[in-house]
Amino acid sequence: MTPSMSRRLVTGGICSTMLLTALVGTGANAAPAQAEPAPVPQLEHLDRGLVAATTDDGVYLSWRLLAGEVTGADADRQHGPEFVVSRDGEPIATVTDSTNLLDPNGTETSTYTVSTAVDGRTVSTSDEVMPWAQGHYDLPLNRPEGGVTPAGESYTYSANDMSVGDVDGDGEYEYIVKWDPSNSKDVSQVGYTGPVYLDAYELDGTQLWRLDLGPNIRAGAHYTQFLVYDFDGDGRSEVMLKTAPGTSTTSHTADGAGQAEYISMPAEDVQAGYSHDDYRLSAEDYYEHVVEMFQGWTEHPEVVAGSWPATLEEAFGIEPRYDYPLSAADARELADYFIDVYAPSRSERNQLRDFEGFVLSGPEYLTVFDGATGAELDTVRYQPGRHDDGLMWGDYAMSRIEPGNRVDRFLSGVAYLDGTHPSAVFARGYYTRSTIATYDWDGESIQQQWLVDSGWTPMSNPFDDSPHGVDGTDPEYGSITTQGFHSLSAADVDGDGRHEIIYGSATIDDDGSLLYSSFDTLPEESADPGAEARLGHGDAMHVTDIDPNRPGLEIYTVHEGAAWAPYGYALRDAATGEVLYGAYSGQDTGRGMVGDVDRTTPGLETWAWDLRSADGALLADAAPGTNQSIHWAADGSTQQVHGAQEETPTIEDWENGTLLVAEGTRTNNDTKGNPSLVADIFGDWREELLVRTGDSDAIRIYLSTEVTDMALTTLMHDVQYRAEVARQQTAYNQPSWPSYYLASDMDVRDVPTPAVWLPGALEDLATAVDSAIAAGQVDRPAAAQLGNAVSAAQRHLDAGRHEQAARAADRFVRALERSIDKGWLSADAAARLGYLIQGLGQR
């Protein structure tokens, strides 16, 4: 390799001074920049992701094209290095136009590797793999033992939602599995639940740890939203989620499970008398809770302010009969009236004598755990706290009285608010008071960035009012009430390189300010013709480039507001919230989806009850399924995952029928019919299907084995898609969408070359330097300069000093250029080190 060839590799990498400054910000002693560099997001350093599967026609192989490897594109593919495929140690093909291959001579006992070649020189080689049988692989699980609730009800466990992250920095994903008990509940459903568990596994089934959320976190889709992500940029994923007293972790080793350790409680909580006890209420406990609430009625701030009725009799609409403040005996009489007479008169479903199993008091925390060991790293208070049992949240105001409902609706996600570093997003409430908090993890402590809070929705009577669709008291954020969904997304909607948080029918800018909250006019057939109303709450939301003929991204949503909502479904401009098209339904429109299902029509189609083109034209009165989508076919089109409850899951193509029957497996979350995960975790840009086996003894991973000539970087190196995968497990699981138009008619030249920072690649670079030195491929002056620079970069990165790490990596680039010029490296070493420094990322 000539010096000029090697220099092209080096200078094509991410480690130029200007770009490194963009990664970490400008330090106090840095020279002033001529212009603010574009943000460069930090993502995972992944290995080749080679996977093989036996088919009727031979062995199918698929591998990743990584962000730092892209050198250009044509209409059908992104270009990168040559890939040399070897079977049983012997080269069988050199692939330059895709990232997959069908080997007709392969067998189930064959072994394969893929090597990366630059100018004919091998610069990396994948781990060796053997083919999966029948196009799938079973990841063994350790199913928890069942139990019995305080009410004497037995329960068992099934694997539920999943997420992935590289918890140990080896370039391979580990698998985080949530276990739900058979008595898992919706927040509106009464009763005890068993505890929720989170497990971490290697692909071979080695269990790393188990997290027991304990009795004070209920089991259900709305309670436990867990984020698996490398938040601090050390190349290893953490796990962050809401916890409570009683939460504990157990590490697993080759010698068996370790000792369970409770999370730490703040000293003030311990001093206040809290412990790791069970704070769930029995029916008797709840009755006493109501008595106590009634005794303190005259001291409630809303009563003191004159906003609520001065007496409970006035609130219930009965004749006055008691003196206030209430005595214990009078409070019990009113509690009996409320529970036995008033509540059932509002709805026959209000059976509050049976109200049990809820956690309405006690501390609430946010904890970050080490992804490799499960060890607690930091715990802070969950913000905002519940405040009360839902009284202020409107849980007693509707006809269905549901303590602990609106107050305990949680969401989570990941957003690159500065364009570079991932932040955790946790939300509470979305029907009435609506809150969104963002956090950073720097390797030592959790730091809250900002908190959006709509304020309370005013009520004239907390026992008889309509708090939905009412502005909160906050002057900036009051309009986001009732706009949140059962999920959220993060995307760069305004083109500034930073993520906004799409909170259903409202969008929060990267700095925490309100970008917009979408309203429109109610039509003639609605409940209030001509009135301006929120688009409002819904269950399903999709954010991506739906219409490639328009600039920017679009948002497709469905809405529950029935006669009080302007639309049953709507497509909006993501930057402004303007409705591009939609239709009034007058009923709760529960499901909706987008995707390229009609290959003859440009853009992604949208559907709720009929199939529409990206510009709103009616294509068909019927529509595909809406449980989950998957990119499975070779041409970039979109398929659907069918099957809920005890149905066998299938992958369906709207035009070509059934593509896969996942025999022996099941989906999750009752009628939602969600797989445990759909994500691009192996191989080329297509997504894998991860579903539990019927007995939950394994997660079965299905791989598409249709040969494709489309070549794209792994979807996990698109920053929007990677963040979407992290939030896919949240509440009502929604598909993960990239930041660009992905469809059968896409022009790959329109796909942006990923500009990313992959700090985990430093470890591979350090290993390569040591190997080259040991092999005598590096002369002494270069060995000292290269070794010192890469060691310093890794040391600073491990300590969370990103700016210093970036400067050290920049020194490595200069040393490598100098070593090439001086002839201090062999041609092989120059090629390999140049390729690896490029692998840190690319403009």
Side-chain angles (χ1 to χ4, degrees):
M1 175 177 288
T2 66
S4 63
M5 290 179 181
S6 293
R7 186 176 292 115
R8 285 203 304 273
L9 287 174
V10 176
T11 57
I14 198 166
C15 292
S16 69
T17 300
M18 181 177 69
L19 194 51
L20 285 170
T21 301
L23 293 174
V24 299
T26 303
N29 299 319
Q34 297 297 314
E36 183 180 352
V40 179
Q42 161 218 312
L43 285 172
E44 295 154 313
H45 166 58
L46 299 173
D47 67 9
R48 188 58 61 201
L50 176 63
V51 64
T54 57
T55 73
D56 292 340
D57 300 314
V59 173
Y60 172 83
L61 299 103
S62 179
W63 59 90
R64 295 180 180 121
L65 177 65
L66 303 171
E69 298 177 324
V70 178
T71 58
D74 59 35
D76 298 319
R77 59 188 60 84
Q78 290 178 320
H79 302 302
E82 295 179 343
F83 296 109
V84 179
V85 180
S86 296
R87 181 200 328 119
D88 300 327
E90 297 296 325
I92 60 172
T94 297
V95 180
T96 60
D97 59 354
S98 74
T99 53
N100 63 169
L101 178 73
L102 181 64
D103 175 17
N105 299 315
T107 70
E108 62 184 12
T109 61
S110 299
T111 60
Y112 292 91
T113 60
V114 170
S115 297
T116 309
V118 176
D119 290 335
R121 297 184 183 276
T122 299
V123 293
S124 71
T125 300
S126 73
D127 289 340
E128 188 176 78
V129 302
M130 293 185 67
W132 296 353
Q134 303 172 338
H136 64 73
Y137 171 81
D138 281 5
L139 189 167
L141 300 179
N142 175 23
R143 182 159 50 95
E145 294 292 330
V148 179
T149 70
E153 300 162 334
S154 299
Y155 56 88
T156 58
Y157 280 93
S158 297
N160 195 260
D161 295 332
M162 290 180 62
S163 199
V164 294
D166 180 8
V167 304
D168 53 13
D170 64 357
E172 298 180 1
Y173 281 127
E174 281 73 45
Y175 301 83
I176 313 301
V177 180
K178 184 178 82 164
W179 293 96
D180 261 8
S182 52
N183 57 2
S184 175
K185 307 287 186 187
D186 185 82
V187 283
S188 64
Q189 294 174 342
V190 172
Y192 290 95
T193 72
V196 175
Y197 296 101
L198 285 184
D199 285 356
Y201 295 93
E202 300 278 5
L203 183 60
D204 65 2
T206 299
Q207 186 173 358
L208 303 177
W209 47 263
R210 170 164 289 171
L211 173 63
D212 178 354
L213 289 180
N216 298 315
I217 300 286
R218 286 190 102 216
H222 298 287
Y223 292 103
T224 294
Q225 326 301 345
F226 60 99
L227 297 179
V228 182
Y229 220 81
D230 179 12
F231 288 105
D232 60 358
D234 67 352
R236 297 165 175 82
S237 290
E238 296 81 41
V239 180
M240 194 182 303
L241 71 160
K242 182 177 181 286
T243 59
T247 296
S248 64
T249 60
T250 305
S251 62
H252 287 251
T253 66
D255 300 327
Q259 182 69 33
E261 294 186 6
Y262 286 119
I263 62 168
S264 56
M265 295 176 60
E268 59 267 30
D269 287 351
V270 176
Q271 292 169 2
Y274 292 110
S275 67
H276 293 290
D277 290 343
D278 186 343
Y279 290 100
R280 292 175 295 182
L281 297 184
S282 67
E284 294 77 12
D285 293 333
Y286 176 69
Y287 175 79
E288 294 301 328
H289 164 77
V290 172
V291 170
E292 182 180 355
M293 180 170 65
F294 285 3
Q295 277 193 277
W297 185 253
T298 54
E299 299 175 2
H300 195 287
E302 294 293 307
V303 176
V304 172
S307 302
W308 288 359
T311 69
L312 289 162
E313 297 97 304
E314 182 183 352
F316 300 150
I318 59 178
E319 292 296 321
R321 65 185 72 167
Y322 300 107
D323 295 326
Y324 286 79
L326 291 170
S327 66
D330 289 348
R332 289 182 181 280
E333 285 190 18
L334 269 172
D336 291 336
Y337 175 82
F338 168 70
I339 291 174
D340 296 330
V341 180
Y342 182 77
S345 74
R346 301 292 305 280
S347 170
E348 62 182 15
R349 297 179 60 173
N350 295 335
Q351 301 298 317
L352 296 182
R353 289 286 180 193
D354 300 326
F355 186 88
E356 64 182 4
F358 284 78
V359 182
L360 301 181
S361 63
E364 300 174 288
Y365 305 130
L366 181 67
T367 302
V368 60
F369 296 92
D370 185 287
T373 67
E376 176 193 4
L377 299 177
D378 194 25
T379 294
V380 297
R381 296 200 182 280
Y382 193 92
Q383 294 294 330
R386 63 171 63 87
H387 182 79
D388 62 20
D389 67 347
L391 184 69
M392 287 284 289
W393 299 81
D395 283 343
Y396 288 81
M398 313 290 283
S399 59
R400 284 173 54 184
I401 296 172
E402 299 167 331
N405 183 351
R406 291 156 186 81
V407 59
D408 271 359
R409 300 274 181 160
F410 300 100
L411 305 172
S412 72
V414 170
Y416 287 74
L417 301 171
D418 64 358
T420 299
H421 306 100
S423 296
V425 182
F426 286 91
R428 182 176 214 145
Y430 37 75
Y431 291 126
T432 58
R433 183 186 179 191
S434 301
T435 68
I436 307 163
T438 62
Y439 299 87
D440 285 351
W441 165 251
D442 63 4
E444 295 183 356
S445 61
I446 303 171
Q447 301 291 333
Q448 186 179 107
Q449 297 307 301
W450 44 256
L451 172 65
V452 166
D453 190 342
S454 68
W456 300 110
T457 52
M459 293 178 287
S460 61
N461 182 351
F463 295 102
D464 187 4
D465 207 339
S466 298
H468 290 195
V470 177
D471 277 6
T473 54
D474 187 87
E476 179 177 3
Y477 303 112
S479 67
I480 71 171
T481 58
T482 323
Q483 296 280 50
F485 279 38
H486 296 301
S487 187
L488 49 76
S489 286
D492 179 14
V493 304
D494 55 11
D496 64 358
R498 297 169 174 82
H499 277 170
E500 284 69 48
I501 296 172
I502 297 88
Y503 181 69
S505 298
T507 294
I508 308 299
D509 211 344
D510 55 79
D511 62 359
S513 62
L514 177 64
L515 191 62
Y516 60 79
S517 187
S518 293
F519 284 63
D520 215 320
T521 306
L522 289 170
E524 285 299 318
E525 59 270 41
S526 71
D528 191 9
E532 288 296 299
R534 291 164 168 75
L535 268 61
H537 168 77
D539 286 0
M541 177 176 69
H542 311 276
V543 185
T544 187
D545 189 358
I546 294 171
D547 186 350
N549 294 321
R550 295 186 70 260
L553 307 179
E554 291 81 33
I555 304 170
Y556 184 74
T557 48
V558 295
H559 301 275
E560 284 188 0
W564 297 94
Y567 301 98
Y569 67 79
L571 184 76
R572 288 178 288 148
D573 182 286
T576 66
E578 174 192 1
V579 174
L580 304 174
Y581 69 80
Y584 173 79
S585 68
Q587 58 186 355
D588 177 345
T589 305
R591 304 285 186 92
M593 187 65 74
V594 307
D596 179 23
V597 297
D598 180 347
R599 295 167 174 84
T600 65
T601 301
L604 303 186
E605 289 72 57
T606 69
W607 61 95
W609 59 80
D610 55 23
L611 186 67
R612 300 269 169 177
S613 66
D615 60 6
L618 178 65
L619 300 176
D621 291 329
T626 54
N627 282 5
Q628 180 66 282
S629 68
I630 186 169
H631 287 99
W632 185 261
D635 61 359
S637 59
T638 313
Q639 287 66 49
Q640 294 75 49
V641 181
H642 286 198
Q645 298 172 325
E646 292 306 308
E647 299 175 33
T648 297
T650 62
I651 295 178
E652 305 289 336
D653 186 281
W654 179 243
E655 296 176 327
N656 299 315
T658 301
L659 304 184
L660 174 76
V661 179
E663 293 287 358
T665 70
R666 292 293 182 267
T667 57
N668 303 322
N669 303 323
D670 199 51
T671 60
K672 298 295 182 287
N674 300 127
S676 292
L677 184 68
V678 172
D680 178 18
I681 60 168
F682 293 117
D684 60 37
W685 51 270
R686 286 176 295 176
E687 295 175 306
E688 281 66 60
L689 174 71
L690 287 77
V691 283
R692 61 183 172 93
T693 56
D695 55 11
S696 282
D697 283 347
I699 292 294
R700 185 161 295 167
I701 306 173
Y702 285 93
L703 171 75
S704 175
T705 57
E706 182 183 5
V707 175
T708 176
D709 59 4
M710 276 183 63
L712 291 170
T713 51
T714 172
L715 297 183
M716 292 298 221
H717 277 173
D718 177 78
V719 66
Q720 177 179 322
Y721 182 87
R722 184 63 187 93
E724 291 263 274
V725 169
R727 73 97 188 97
Q728 193 182 124
Q729 45 72 36
T730 292
Y732 294 177
N733 312 51
Q734 297 296 298
S736 302
W737 298 105
S739 63
Y740 54 83
Y741 177 64
L742 177 55
S744 59
D745 63 342
M746 69 185 297
D747 187 328
V748 175
R749 290 170 295 192
D750 295 332
V751 176
T753 299
V756 298
W757 162 237
L758 309 173
L762 273 175
E763 192 166 320
D764 280 358
L765 182 62
T767 300
V769 170
D770 291 343
S771 298
I773 293 172
Q777 297 176 332
V778 183
D779 290 349
R780 183 175 297 175
Q785 294 175 19
L786 295 174
N788 290 340
V790 73
S791 296
Q794 187 66 58
R795 185 171 62 253
H796 288 309
L797 187 67
D798 290 342
R801 298 186 294 266
H802 288 260
E803 183 172 353
Q804 293 93 323
R807 288 174 178 169
D810 195 29
R811 290 199 301 273
F812 182 91
V813 172
R814 293 194 299 269
L816 184 56
E817 289 179 325
R818 184 164 53 251
S819 298
I820 291 171
D821 286 340
K822 297 289 188 181
W824 292 341
L825 300 176
S826 71
D828 284 345
R832 178 163 174 74
L833 297 182
Y835 167 79
L836 289 173
I837 195 68
Q838 184 173 350
L840 282 170
Q842 183 167 332
R843 266 185 178 283

